[in-house]
């Protein structure tokens, strides 16, 4: 005779919703940039770990194996969903850029074009960690920022140096020994420059 199913023990995808508060700051921080998102991320992370650990203990105690498997596979389910959304172009960066593009274009239009040179302007894209910008939105009419490092023209390098010294709008494509630079196109003449520190921590 088969063992009767324990009450409430069933496979469910709803555990994936538990992870949404952890993802939410990645979608919302730029709407409220003055908030301390680093602390918010930490609090959300701790609360989520406590909730998951508590649920694991309860389901183990009650021998609800289906729910336990559902809980442990929820991150994989969410990763698959995020991958599908990314393939369709629905990433946090793409959505944010779509919603704010006109603001950036309006500011660029107010920029003086010196001697007919291609315009170059930068915007802090991520400055939530101790006021340090690790991701920069770059508008480059010449599109030379996307060229492999070292292939930019002398005129481009001079424009960037002038922009950095006069307007404090700096782009460094020559990272230090512990840094990694990546540039990806996000719109017409718009690029995201990411400065990561893969070897900064032991």
């Amino acid at each position: 005779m088969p063992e009767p199913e324990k009450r409430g023990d069933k496979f469910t995808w709803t555990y994936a919703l538990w992870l949404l508060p952890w993802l939410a700051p990645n979608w919302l921080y730029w709407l409220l940039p003055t908030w301390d998102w680093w602390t918010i991320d930490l609090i959300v992370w701790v609360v989520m770990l406590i909730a998951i650990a508590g649920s694991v203990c309860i389901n183990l105690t009650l021998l609800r194996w289906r729910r336990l498997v559902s809980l442990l596979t929820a991150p994989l389910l969410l990763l698959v969903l995020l991958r599908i959304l990314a393939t369709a172009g629905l990433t946090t960066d793409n959505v944010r850029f779509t919603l704010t593009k006109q603001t950036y274009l309006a500011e660029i239009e107010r920029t003086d074009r010196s001697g007919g040179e291609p315009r170059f302007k930068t915007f802090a894209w991520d400055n939530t960690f101790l006021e340090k910008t690790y991701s920069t939105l770059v508008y480059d009419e010449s599109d030379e920022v996307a060229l492999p490092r070292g292939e930019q023209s002398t005129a481009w390098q001079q424009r960037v140096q002038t922009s950095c010294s006069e307007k404090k709008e700096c782009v460094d494509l020559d990272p230090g020994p512990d840094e990694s630079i990546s540039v990806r196109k996000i719109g017409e003449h718009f690029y995201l420059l990411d400065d990561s520190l893969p070897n900064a921590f032991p």
Side-chain angles (χ1 to χ4, degrees), residues 40-159:
I40 293 172
D41 280 342
L42 180 62
I43 294 172
V44 169
W45 177 254
V46 170
V47 170
M48 186 181 67
L49 285 181
I50 292 173
I52 291 175
S55 182
V56 167
C57 292
I58 292 172
N59 286 318
L60 278 174
T61 302
L62 299 177
L63 303 178
R64 297 193 299 201
W65 306 115
R66 293 180 182 87
R67 280 191 171 273
L68 186 61
V69 170
S70 298
L71 178 61
L72 296 178
T73 57
L76 179 61
L77 179 63
L78 192 61
L79 284 175
V80 170
L81 176 60
L82 290 176
R83 175 61 65 180
I84 292 172
L85 291 176
T87 302
L90 290 175
T91 65
T92 56
D93 288 331
N94 288 340
V95 171
R96 174 183 174 183
F97 180 71
T98 299
L99 294 176
T100 58
K101 179 180 178 180
Q102 294 306 317
T103 302
Y104 295 123
L105 287 174
E107 190 166 340
I108 290 166
E109 285 300 318
R110 292 193 294 269
T111 303
D112 293 333
R113 187 190 296 269
S114 302
E117 293 183 343
R119 284 177 292 193
F120 181 89
K121 192 165 182 61
T122 66
F123 306 90
W125 192 254
D126 175 14
N127 59 353
T128 60
F129 186 71
L130 300 179
E131 301 301 321
K132 164 69 175 176
T133 298
Y134 290 102
S135 199
T136 304
L137 180 66
V138 179
Y139 179 82
D140 182 9
E141 279 188 336
S142 70
D143 296 314
E144 289 191 53
V145 70
L147 294 177
R149 188 178 62 190
E151 294 188 13
Q152 288 76 19
S153 67
T154 303
W156 184 87
Q157 295 175 12
Q158 290 175 346
R159 283 199 305 274

Side-chain angles (χ1 to χ4, degrees), residues 145-187:
V145 70
L147 294 177
R149 188 178 62 190
E151 294 188 13
Q152 288 76 19
S153 67
T154 303
W156 184 87
Q157 295 175 12
Q158 290 175 346
R159 283 199 305 274
V160 171
Q161 290 176 0
T162 301
S163 177
C164 185
S165 61
E166 295 181 357
K167 305 175 184 177
K168 306 304 179 186
E169 296 180 5
C170 305
V171 167
D172 186 5
L173 298 179
D174 189 16
D178 293 328
E179 297 181 73
S180 175
I181 299 293
S182 65
V183 179
R184 56 193 171 92
K185 189 171 186 177
I186 196 171

